[in-house]
Amino acid sequence: MGFDAAQWAHSSTDDLTAFFDRVDYPLYVVTVRSPAGEMSGCLAGFVTQCSIGPPNFLVCVSKANHSLDVAERSSGMGLHLLGVDQADLARLFAEETGDLVDKFAAVDWRLGSTGAPLLVDTAVSMEGEILGHFSVGDHEAFFMRAVRSVAGGRPGILTHRGIPPLEPGHPA
């Protein structure tokens, strides 16, 4: 029995409901800073580790998102897992858009060794070097090599199922 590409090519979103109804994943705040000092950040759910040695990650940013333009000009990226009690921080980075609002004015942050802005108050933060990026449909995948992480004081991990519906600042 082989893979039938034609069968999968004609699947609708409704055909995938049984799968997506069971999937849950952590929510990340992704932060970047351009060489000129422009900062941006967004909420991301499509993040995965793709190598153990070296520790590489794929971080997907919506092509409609303000953070994409800044990320394409950045050499470093911050990844932040939010604590279970940080729905308001998730809402800030999901519902506000960086081309209209300075999200960093509302949070404590510091500059990391890669040049990425790192949020101080999260469950855990990690920064990495952006090694490249490529299109994966309606998102751009950034290939990032992790270089440092710092545990935060927030308990648990905020997940997709653990937060009320959000209204994105730009269409996802």
Side-chain angles (χ1 to χ4, degrees):
M1 177 183 238
F3 175 73
D4 182 359
Q7 174 187 357
W8 290 98
H10 298 292
S11 294
S12 73
T13 304
D14 292 339
D15 295 337
L16 301 173
T17 301
F19 183 84
F20 290 120
D21 280 350
R22 294 181 184 256
V23 174
D24 196 10
Y25 46 87
L27 294 175
Y28 296 82
V29 171
V30 176
T31 55
V32 289
R33 183 174 181 264
S34 74
E38 181 182 9
M39 297 194 309
S40 193
C42 62
L43 193 69
F46 305 140
V47 176
T48 190
Q49 185 172 356
C50 58
S51 173
I52 296 169
N56 293 328
F57 287 75
L58 289 177
V59 179
C60 297
V61 176
S62 171
K63 290 182 178 175
N65 197 303
H66 172 264
S67 296
L68 176 65
D69 178 56
V70 180
E72 288 177 325
R73 295 179 280 129
S74 300
S75 60
M77 178 175 280
L79 273 180
H80 310 83
L81 281 168
L82 302 181
V84 71
D85 61 345
Q86 292 190 287
D88 288 342
L89 186 59
R91 182 165 280 107
L92 171 67
F93 279 89
E95 294 185 337
E96 300 296 337
T97 177
D99 46 0
L100 300 176
V101 173
D102 178 4
K103 300 175 195 182
F104 293 92
V107 297
D108 289 331
W109 64 275
R110 64 177 177 74
L111 202 56
S113 64
T114 64
L118 300 176
L119 304 180
V120 172
D121 187 24
T122 62
V124 64
S125 295
M126 179 174 62
E127 65 178 309
E129 299 174 56
I130 297 173
L131 303 177
H133 60 93
F134 53 94
S135 177
V136 289
D138 59 1
H139 282 64
E140 188 78 3
F142 288 83
F143 183 52
M144 183 191 88
R145 172 143 317 136
V147 297
R148 181 173 178 255
S149 68
V150 177
R154 294 297 180 138
I157 300 296
L158 185 63
T159 67
H160 176 71
R161 290 182 186 265
I163 191 167
L166 300 170
E167 295 294 325
H170 284 291

